[in-house]
Amino acid sequence: MKATQAISAALLQASFVLGHGGVTEYQINGEWYTGMKPYNSPTNQQPSIQRYWQSFDPIQDPTSVNIICNNPGTVAPLSAEVPAGSEVVEYWNSGWAHNLGPMVTWMTECPSECSSWNGQGGKWFKIDEAGLSSGVLANGKWGSADMIAQNYSWTSTIPRSLKPGNYLLRTETIALHSNPPQWYPNCAQLKVTGSGTVSPGAQYRASIPGVYSMSDPSINIQDFWTSKETTYKIPGPDVWKG
Ligand SMILES: *[C@@H]1O[C@H](CO)[C@@H](O)[C@H](O)[C@H]1NC(C)=O
Ligand SMILES: [Cu+2]
């Protein structure tokens, strides 16, 4: 085979694989934690703080339980200890391709140990989000483009006043170039420590699944590619600042 053919075949394959993705590593309060690596089978799942997903493929049904923590989203054996107020850096696979959509980071309490709860029935609150900061929908500057520019990473701060306990941290991007959109949810199990005393109230909470719907004009965007719209309403409650 000619070298050029081999190279273009390799590039084709790389761009196919790199078209999707997820969070593969975390840096929490300065320490590294290995997350999911794509296409591992459940039987060779590495012990991790990150809930298991089996491929880079997105979730495209907002009513599916897989919207919670990806597919299959089964519990992880480990949790990371993190003092409230510290930073969690979520590293996506490098080469992440989708730059048209918001970044949203959610948390919810695990009823006891996170490793013994499937995540269903949680009332989630947002700790950060980033939508469209300039330009129009199909051609503007989105949170996901910031993630790409930051070495494919997203930094979230655990609110300092948050009450200690076991939490899921759910990092997602919603890629809006397709309809239905492509959700890429990632859940890490955290044990939050510190002297916080506060839990967000009901007005900051949403169910997942539930918060996203194909009847929401922010999700089912009929004219995405031609729209002159320069604002985007990220679904769900306001961010809780602590
Ligand atoms: C970029 O991210 C990778 C993890 O994907 C990390 O190992 C590397 O240190 C980061 N580079 C910089 C300059 O932060
Ligand atoms: Cu993709």
Side-chain angles (χ1 to χ4, degrees):
M1 185 172 6
K2 280 196 226 132
T4 47
Q5 274 176 345
I7 289 167
S8 51
L11 283 177
L12 199 68
Q13 196 166 18
S15 61
F16 173 72
V17 170
L18 296 177
H20 302 314
V23 172
T24 57
E25 268 178 301
Y26 292 86
Q27 199 182 16
I28 300 179
N29 201 20
E31 275 193 59
W32 286 95
Y33 294 84
T34 301
M36 285 303 109
K37 302 293 187 216
Y39 306 113
N40 280 353
S41 72
T43 49
N44 65 17
Q45 177 184 358
Q46 298 299 304
S48 174
I49 64 163
Q50 188 179 10
R51 294 210 160 176
Y52 181 66
W53 44 262
Q54 62 191 359
S55 85
F56 274 161
D57 293 345
I59 310 303
Q60 292 194 266
D61 176 359
T63 66
S64 161
V65 291
N66 291 336
I67 200 92
I68 307 174
C69 289
N70 213 319
N71 181 14
T74 36
V75 297
L78 307 178
S79 293
E81 199 168 293
V82 52
S86 48
E87 286 187 346
V88 177
V89 191
E90 305 120 5
Y91 286 88
W92 293 71
N93 52 307
S94 63
W96 175 262
H98 302 314
N99 60 359
L100 300 175
M103 302 292 301
V104 193
T105 310
W106 301 82
M107 292 181 79
T108 193
E109 295 84 354
C110 297
S112 55
E113 294 300 318
C114 290
S115 59
S116 62
W117 180 52
N118 66 9
Q120 291 183 31
K123 296 287 184 204
W124 298 79
F125 56 94
K126 290 175 179 170
I127 60 168
D128 59 66
E129 65 182 11
L132 181 65
S133 57
S134 66
V136 298
L137 295 183
N139 197 13
K141 191 162 180 299
W142 287 90
S144 55
D146 294 338
M147 179 263 275
I148 291 169
Q150 293 156 191
N151 187 24
Y152 310 100
S153 76
W154 193 253
T155 301
S156 300
T157 300
I158 308 299
R160 190 172 298 277
S161 62
L162 185 65
K163 195 174 165 176
N166 297 317
Y167 291 86
L168 291 182
L169 177 81
R170 182 179 175 282
T171 309
E172 75 182 337
T173 187
I174 309 168
L176 297 172
H177 66 278
S178 81
N179 189 354
Q182 300 177 351
W183 281 268
Y184 295 91
N186 300 268
C187 293
Q189 299 178 174
L190 302 181
K191 189 174 282 293
V192 174
T193 62
S195 51
T197 54
V198 188
S199 294
Q203 73 271 33
Y204 292 104
R205 303 276 184 162
S207 297
I208 302 175
V211 72
Y212 299 119
S213 152
M214 289 309 294
S215 57
D216 182 343
S218 285
I219 293 300
N220 188 349
I221 309 176
Q222 294 292 334
D223 60 345
F224 182 79
W225 296 104
T226 53
S227 171
K228 297 280 178 279
E229 185 59 70
T230 56
T231 61
Y232 177 76
K233 164 93 179 73
I234 300 175
D238 289 343
V239 170
W240 185 68
K241 300 285 188 193

